[in-house]
Amino acid sequence: MKQPGFSIFGDHFHPIIMLMVPLYWIWDDAIMLLIGQSLAIGAALYIFARTAQELLPGRLTSWLSVSLALSIGVQAAALYDFHELALGAPLMAMVGRTYVKDQLMATAWWGVSLLLVKEDMGVFLIGVAMALWFKGKRLVGVVLVAVALAYTWLVLAVIIPYFNPLGEYYY
């Protein structure tokens, strides 16, 4: 899309996109991106529904789950076009699930996994770190902020410029 030989990692750094490769082994077509994206969104909806089922009473769970699945944001993500952030939806759902279930170390690890989704997920990880800080995991919060800042600098200053034929990050 940019120029011949331009690596997708010279534009954005999203190694999670490599999860789509096995789908191309099955069928070498762009529609496989949409199928993979739909599977990821479905996984996130399942995680949300199971969490709601465990924490909320009866019909409220069903109403919330169906409302989320039918929401315009989810429908647009599933039908419009491929975006690598959709692959991060199950990871974000796991961050939320582990946080509300007070599995705070698991929340930290799921938060770190989001760094594979896109270069700006370091900002989201800082949000996770702040949430953990306020839950009493102060050291974990400080470490996550340091990891997020170091990762963001590394990706923006080193990795993307390395893959970009212009040798820069231009956003």
Side-chain angles (χ1 to χ4, degrees):
M1 292 173 37
K2 303 279 184 194
Q3 66 190 41
F6 193 98
S7 170
I8 63 170
F9 295 124
D11 188 28
H12 291 292
F13 186 66
H14 38 75
I16 198 166
I17 197 98
M18 297 209 215
L19 291 176
M20 304 308 284
V21 171
L23 293 176
Y24 272 85
W25 294 339
I26 297 168
W27 184 24
D28 187 12
D29 192 287
I31 196 78
M32 297 307 280
L33 293 173
L34 296 177
I35 291 171
Q37 174 173 278
S38 295
L39 290 171
I41 292 169
L45 290 171
Y46 175 78
I47 293 165
F48 174 84
R50 286 292 296 154
T51 305
Q53 186 179 44
E54 293 169 9
L55 299 175
L56 299 172
R59 291 186 183 215
L60 182 59
T61 296
S62 299
W63 282 107
L64 282 174
S65 300
V66 170
S67 297
L68 178 61
L70 296 177
S71 71
I72 194 163
V74 170
Q75 293 302 308
L79 299 174
Y80 175 65
D81 198 2
F82 176 78
H83 200 280
E84 69 275 358
L85 284 177
L87 300 177
L91 303 176
M92 287 184 180
M94 287 304 297
V95 168
R97 176 183 172 80
T98 55
Y99 185 77
V100 299
K101 294 185 77 143
D102 264 342
Q103 300 167 340
L104 301 181
M105 287 308 296
T107 301
W109 286 111
W110 284 110
V112 169
S113 74
L114 283 164
L115 296 177
L116 300 174
V117 175
K118 198 170 176 194
E119 70 271 4
D120 55 4
M121 292 307 281
V123 176
F124 186 87
L125 184 57
I126 291 173
V128 171
M130 290 171 54
L132 292 173
W133 171 276
F134 289 117
K135 280 266 194 162
K137 292 287 189 181
R138 303 230 190 290
L139 180 59
V140 174
V142 169
V143 169
L144 288 182
V145 168
V147 166
L149 292 174
Y151 168 84
T152 303
W153 175 85
L154 180 68
V155 168
L156 296 181
V158 178
I159 296 174
I160 291 177
Y162 173 80
F163 285 107
N164 188 316
L166 303 175
E168 62 185 18
Y169 178 72
Y170 50 81
Y171 287 110

